[in-house]
Amino acid sequence: MREPIEGVADIRDGRIVTLDFEITDGDGAVLDTSNQVGPMRYLHGAGQLLPALEEAVIGLELGEQKSVEIPCKEAFGERDEARILEVPRTQLPPDATIGMMVSAHDPSGQQIPLIVVHLDDTTARLDANHPFAGKDVIFNVTVTQVENATEDEIAHGHMH
């Protein structure tokens, strides 16, 4: 069972935090939002968020909102042209289209999302950069829940 928080329910290490969020780029275009993908729920201090974002929300209390601007190198990285791969067209599904996301596995078996950026009869070009790479992003977050983590969660650095 979770202990009730004594005193202020603010964000600090050892607490499980739920954030509603909207991520926009420098031009104000919405890249991602919790309305579409669900809220972010994480164990504070366990390194599950972008460090710049985790740092920025320390001390926020339930219901508080904050806007955090994160430069691309601390957010999703610079774009790297070396991460564009060419593969035979036959490796993709016949109905593949430009802009579609496909996934491959790296040598350690991790899934890598790739975006199809070019297709012709013989080759396909895939971009392994994060879709938001090269963008400075703004996270607008609202704290919707702050809970004490259990000893077990803190020891293992993750939630169940």
Side-chain angles (χ1 to χ4, degrees):
M1 259 321 278
R2 299 195 184 284
E3 306 273 310
I5 290 180
E6 284 183 29
V8 178
D10 62 352
I11 297 179
R12 59 176 75 179
D13 287 4
R15 291 195 167 159
I16 290 175
V17 180
T18 308
L19 299 174
D20 274 341
F21 69 93
E22 184 179 80
I23 305 174
T24 59
D25 64 15
D27 301 326
V30 175
L31 304 175
D32 205 1
T33 154
S34 51
N35 294 342
Q36 289 175 336
V37 294
M40 265 188 258
R41 187 166 184 265
Y42 73 99
L43 174 59
H44 195 84
Q48 297 167 348
L49 287 193
L50 294 172
L53 182 58
E54 194 168 54
E55 183 79 11
V57 297
I58 293 171
L60 289 186
E61 294 174 30
L62 199 60
E64 282 199 288
Q65 294 182 309
K66 184 159 189 182
S67 182
V68 186
E69 205 165 321
I70 304 178
C72 69
K73 65 177 188 306
E74 291 174 37
F76 300 99
E78 303 280 359
R79 282 191 58 79
D80 177 0
E81 294 310 313
R83 300 192 68 180
I84 295 186
L85 322 170
E86 264 194 17
V87 299
R89 172 69 184 89
T90 52
Q91 285 193 10
L92 294 189
D95 60 353
T97 54
I98 290 182
M100 179 173 161
M101 193 168 268
V102 293
S103 66
H105 289 91
D106 72 9
S108 69
Q110 290 245 304
Q111 274 211 334
I112 314 170
L114 302 161
I115 294 169
V116 180
V117 289
H118 169 84
L119 283 174
D120 60 33
D121 295 341
T122 54
T123 55
R125 209 168 297 136
L126 306 174
D127 186 346
N129 285 291
H130 189 283
F132 312 153
K135 293 180 189 269
D136 296 336
V137 294
I138 298 159
F139 277 84
N140 297 301
V141 298
T142 306
V143 183
T144 55
Q145 199 174 18
V146 181
E147 307 160 80
N148 275 327
T150 61
E151 291 299 318
D152 194 40
E153 289 167 329
I154 293 170
H156 296 100
H158 61 77
M159 304 166 310
H160 303 295

